[in-house]
Amino acid sequence: MSHERRRPVVAANWKMHFVTKEALEVARTLRRKVGSTAARVVLFPSFPLLPAVVRELVESELEVGAQDLSSEDQGAHTGEVSGRQLKDCGCTWALCGHSERRRDHHEHDALVAHKVAAACRHSLQPLLCVGETREERAQGRTFEVLGRQLTAALAVGPETFSLAYEPVWAIGTGETASPETAQEAHAFLRRTLAQALQERPIPGLAAAALPILYGGSVTPENAASLLAQPDVDGFLVGGASLDPEKFLAIIRVCD
Ligand code: PGA
């Protein structure tokens, strides 16, 4: 499957970094310098920064998403943020099931699946994160884990989603997956999705068209060889996205 069929997506996961002033400086620099690019560029700031970043990027090509959302739409859920509220803020994307949330907040596959469904209900593009731990890879369980995480999300019948393959051992460690390792996982995910959709089609969702991003210690230096892989359609970038020049260099790899 060639890249001509799928527009690359380059996403910045800012995690719990920046206060408003800092976030606006980065957003402003990106807006000024990004120019015309082949990639869709999405920023994922923390909740309190969202309104300011959305305002800063209004009428630009840059899109904004939330790092998480509640599986519920409203009600007595102290500390949660709903898809409806995020849509109201001007978000267009939501991360679902990032490994740090699975690890720190015990988000299991079924909950993540309901978050994907909640994002769809509010017209937010879900970016479902999947990935194996170092231990699971060492045990030869990588495909089992990826298959389970993807299949759980499909069970709720999402209208749409994008995928990020983020091997947990590569996140924030400086140990990037090799292009071959990433390709193997991406191809497996696309194959698994194709098989699942054959059995139970979801209108408007096609495995060949689904963007599958790679995440885990992406840098301007390793981005090109990863993107050269046929099933790697872009990046979810943590650490390197905090420096606008590094993030811009990763975006330019797509051009
Ligand atoms: P990293 O984070 O680029 O710092 O490894 C990626 C992520 O967690 O999305």
Side-chain angles (χ1 to χ4, degrees):
M1 189 48 55
S2 82
H3 282 301
E4 273 82 63
R5 302 267 326 261
R6 295 186 294 269
R7 187 173 175 202
V9 179
V10 181
N13 178 5
W14 286 352
K15 308 194 179 184
M16 201 170 68
H17 294 285
F18 299 151
V19 292
T20 306
K21 183 172 176 284
E22 296 157 346
L24 288 180
E25 273 166 26
V26 175
R28 211 167 283 145
T29 305
L30 293 175
R31 179 177 187 152
R32 199 174 64 241
K33 294 194 174 176
V34 73
S36 68
T37 169
R40 280 181 86 169
V41 181
V42 192
L43 309 183
F44 289 96
S46 306
F47 290 133
L49 311 178
L50 286 170
V53 173
V54 165
R55 262 196 309 278
E56 183 62 36
L57 297 178
V58 81
E59 283 169 20
S60 79
E61 292 292 310
L62 295 146
E63 301 169 66
V64 181
Q67 294 173 13
D68 182 37
L69 81 166
S70 173
S71 58
E72 304 290 332
D73 291 341
Q74 61 179 358
H77 304 288
T78 303
E80 291 280 86
V81 178
S82 72
R84 183 163 174 256
Q85 291 168 325
L86 294 170
K87 191 71 190 169
D88 184 53
C89 272
C91 285
T92 50
W93 290 72
L95 290 185
C96 300
H98 188 279
S99 65
E100 287 155 13
R101 295 211 56 86
R102 292 180 191 260
R103 182 195 66 199
D104 300 344
H105 302 276
H106 311 292
E107 290 194 5
H108 48 76
D109 291 337
L111 177 64
V112 172
H114 286 294
K115 291 186 175 208
V116 170
C120 290
R121 281 198 298 279
H122 297 285
S123 309
L124 298 164
Q125 177 71 22
L127 179 49
L128 170 66
C129 303
V130 298
E132 80 288 0
T133 62
R134 190 183 297 280
E135 195 185 4
E136 287 161 344
R137 175 163 283 270
Q139 293 167 344
R141 293 176 51 220
T142 298
F143 286 176
E144 173 204 320
V145 171
L146 297 182
R148 192 198 70 218
Q149 292 173 334
L150 175 58
T151 309
L154 290 173
V156 299
E159 272 164 47
T160 180
F161 66 100
S162 300
L163 259 182
Y165 169 58
E166 296 210 305
V168 177
W169 47 270
I171 295 179
T173 59
E175 188 185 345
T176 321
S178 70
E180 295 72 27
T181 300
Q183 168 58 23
E184 186 185 47
H186 285 226
F188 169 79
L189 288 165
R190 200 178 303 284
R191 230 171 25 242
T192 305
L193 179 65
Q195 276 160 9
L197 291 178
Q198 221 164 33
E199 283 160 29
R200 207 175 134 199
I202 298 177
L205 201 64
L210 185 91
I212 308 181
L213 318 190
Y214 168 79
S217 298
V218 175
T219 64
E221 289 72 38
N222 59 32
S225 58
L226 286 159
L227 194 72
Q229 299 301 313
D231 286 293
V232 176
D233 306 314
F235 305 106
L236 179 53
V237 188
S241 75
L242 302 177
D243 176 339
E245 294 306 330
K246 283 191 187 160
F247 189 58
L248 283 162
I250 295 169
I251 294 168
R252 296 218 173 92
V253 165
C254 302
D255 294 331

